[in-house]
Amino acid sequence: MIPERQMLEDLAELRRRDNHRRLILSPGLDFSSNDYLGLSGHPTVRRALIRELEAGVALGSGGSRLLRGNHGWHERIEARLAAFRGVPAALAFNSGFDANVGVLSTLCPPGGLVLSDEKNHASIIDGVRASRAEYRVFPHNDLDAVDRLLRGHAGTLPPTIVTESVFSMEGDRAPLAELLALARRHGAGLIVDEAHATGVFGPTGAGLLDGLETGDVPLVSIHTCGKALGGCGAFVACSQAVKEYLVNHCRTFIFTTALPPLAMVHWEAALDLIASEPWRRRHVLALAERLRTGLRGVADCGASTTQIVPVLLGSNARALAAAAGLQERGFDIRPIRYPTVPQGTARLRIALNATHDEATIERLIAALRELIAATAAA
Ligand SMILES: Cc1ncc(COP(=O)(O)O)c(C=O)c1O
């Protein structure tokens, strides 16, 4: 273990670099959670949970899915999730992190090649490393680079491309149709992390792959339930063969206590709301568009086209000062710094929420304009 003295020196150094983190309670209106549709406290979800609690639903699963932890609710929700995504099968995981690490390390063994977008989430990076497959990181959304790397591949196993569909810190999207075309042309597989698209994008809210022509490309998608679904956990959408293979080989699925059935009750109620209240996804995206328009000319929001709007500020000190100013004005917006984003690209990450109204966004725009100018001058 690292000696505590060394830990304290490290923490002091983080403070000197304005890069020290601490846990705080939510300071104000939510512009930083991933509860994009406002379902984490929705009365319909609460009622469903109360109903099932009163009916005697198990509070804990009791073990791994392969032992006594497999309940009727797991099977029922997996059938519903497969239908939601329009694929043959779905498999629940305890978190998106577990799902990414498990899927990548199980489906991409040593001897294979994985091409991973440079902006991919830490759980994808850890999954790729855990797979012990050869991997190449390609520049963000660079299709020519992917094409070049696939053309140069001469291994025996088909290569795999892995990307997020909505990038969590940029708020932009992957060119999924083009990546599918490249995968088809080169006989590659595609793994898509739909963490931030699930519930928000697609004709039925199932994500950005929904409605795309996927043909015969081996395709696996990861969907988290702790973001727009407002709960916790995740599921993998795939073929029956991939599901059965994961059940037999995936360590983050096998060697852990399954989520309690109560989590699945939440998922089902959230899926019902996503189906019956499509206004939520339209509204959250409209608010994000209004925010970007209101900041045009004063803030750099990168290539955001989604409910995630970054405001790029550069230095840690500037991101910290702007976030503190916003929190004083009642907006819970957090600074995002290295190592979550590259050095020198510190930012505010503004996550819109369907529970907000237009007037709140106008107030936020005014506060941001003022603080961006003030922190630039400082
Ligand atoms: C793109 C992406 N994938 C996976 C995860 C991990 O999901 P979870 O929070 O369910 O572990 C996150 C979480 O922030 C994420 O942003």
Side-chain angles (χ1 to χ4, degrees):
M1 197 193 286
I2 305 175
E4 280 201 16
R5 185 182 38 74
Q6 201 174 320
M7 292 186 200
L8 293 173
E9 283 167 13
D10 171 273
L11 293 168
E13 178 58 21
L14 287 179
R15 274 191 206 90
R16 267 195 296 281
R17 285 191 267 127
D18 290 320
N19 209 18
H20 180 262
R21 268 84 163 166
R22 63 194 175 88
L23 298 171
I24 57 168
L25 291 174
S26 308
L29 263 180
D30 177 12
F31 280 94
S32 68
S33 84
N34 302 314
D35 180 21
Y36 305 120
L37 302 180
L39 301 188
S40 71
H42 195 285
T44 300
V45 178
R46 282 185 201 283
R47 276 196 298 274
L49 290 166
I50 291 167
R51 196 179 52 239
E52 289 303 318
L53 276 170
E54 285 176 350
V57 69
L59 300 182
S61 69
S64 158
R65 288 284 297 283
L66 284 170
L67 297 173
R68 220 183 134 79
N70 193 37
H71 294 247
W73 266 101
H74 292 94
E75 308 249 331
R76 166 173 164 175
I77 200 72
E78 284 175 350
R80 169 92 187 255
L81 292 165
F84 175 58
R85 256 296 284 123
V87 294
L91 185 64
F93 278 76
N94 290 3
S95 72
F97 206 106
D98 281 359
N100 274 332
V101 170
V103 163
L104 284 154
S105 59
T106 309
L107 302 185
C108 305
L113 171 70
V114 182
L115 307 182
S116 177
D117 190 288
E118 68 175 336
K119 303 279 187 193
N120 277 342
H121 187 258
S123 55
I124 299 179
I125 297 170
D126 285 9
V128 173
R129 287 181 183 153
S131 77
R132 290 180 289 122
E134 183 186 339
Y135 69 90
R136 297 274 182 280
V137 175
F138 61 86
H140 185 46
N141 282 344
D142 186 337
L143 293 165
D144 290 338
V146 176
D147 192 26
R148 251 192 326 276
L149 288 164
L150 288 173
R151 259 191 273 130
H153 175 63
T156 46
L157 278 175
T160 306
I161 307 164
V162 58
T163 185
E164 294 179 30
S165 57
V166 168
F167 285 88
S168 54
M169 294 299 143
E170 313 298 318
D172 62 348
R173 310 181 206 190
L176 291 180
E178 291 80 358
L179 286 172
L180 276 163
L182 277 177
R184 192 171 302 122
R185 187 166 345 126
H186 294 281
L190 183 61
I191 296 178
V192 181
D193 179 348
E194 294 253 48
H196 297 276
T198 308
V200 180
F201 285 98
T204 61
L208 279 166
L209 283 169
D210 200 9
L212 285 184
E213 183 48 59
T214 56
D216 54 1
V217 173
L219 178 67
V220 173
S221 54
I222 290 96
H223 304 260
T224 55
C225 303
K227 303 189 195 305
L229 270 69
C232 64
F235 69 95
V236 171
C238 55
S239 67
Q240 280 294 352
V242 168
K243 175 170 177 172
E244 201 173 326
Y245 193 81
L246 290 171
V247 168
N248 279 275
H249 292 290
C250 179
R251 295 168 69 84
T252 61
F253 174 81
I254 299 170
F255 297 105
T256 188
T257 300
L259 283 178
L262 212 52
M264 315 283 145
V265 177
H266 186 142
W267 295 8
E268 190 174 81
L271 290 172
D272 288 344
L273 284 163
I274 287 168
S276 64
E277 301 190 359
W279 66 264
R280 288 179 184 270
R281 48 185 184 273
R282 284 197 296 270
H283 183 57
V284 75
L285 292 173
L287 294 180
E289 184 53 34
R290 173 62 201 129
L291 177 61
R292 281 187 293 269
T293 310
L295 294 178
R296 199 165 288 150
V298 270
D300 179 0
C301 298
S304 163
T305 56
T306 67
Q307 77 283 9
I308 300 165
V309 181
V311 173
L312 297 158
L313 295 174
S315 74
N316 290 346
R318 193 170 174 212
L320 279 175
L326 287 160
Q327 289 169 17
E328 272 166 27
R329 289 161 178 76
F331 301 103
D332 181 1
I333 293 175
R334 310 289 172 96
I336 307 290
R337 293 161 284 169
Y338 177 82
T340 311
V341 294
Q343 296 273 21
T345 69
R347 65 199 63 186
L348 302 171
R349 176 184 184 271
I350 305 179
L352 280 300
N353 189 301
T355 59
H356 296 319
D357 58 17
E358 286 78 3
T360 309
I361 303 303
E362 297 309 322
R363 284 198 292 114
L364 174 61
I365 292 169
L368 277 163
R369 284 176 159 267
E370 182 194 325
L371 284 161
I372 289 166
T375 55

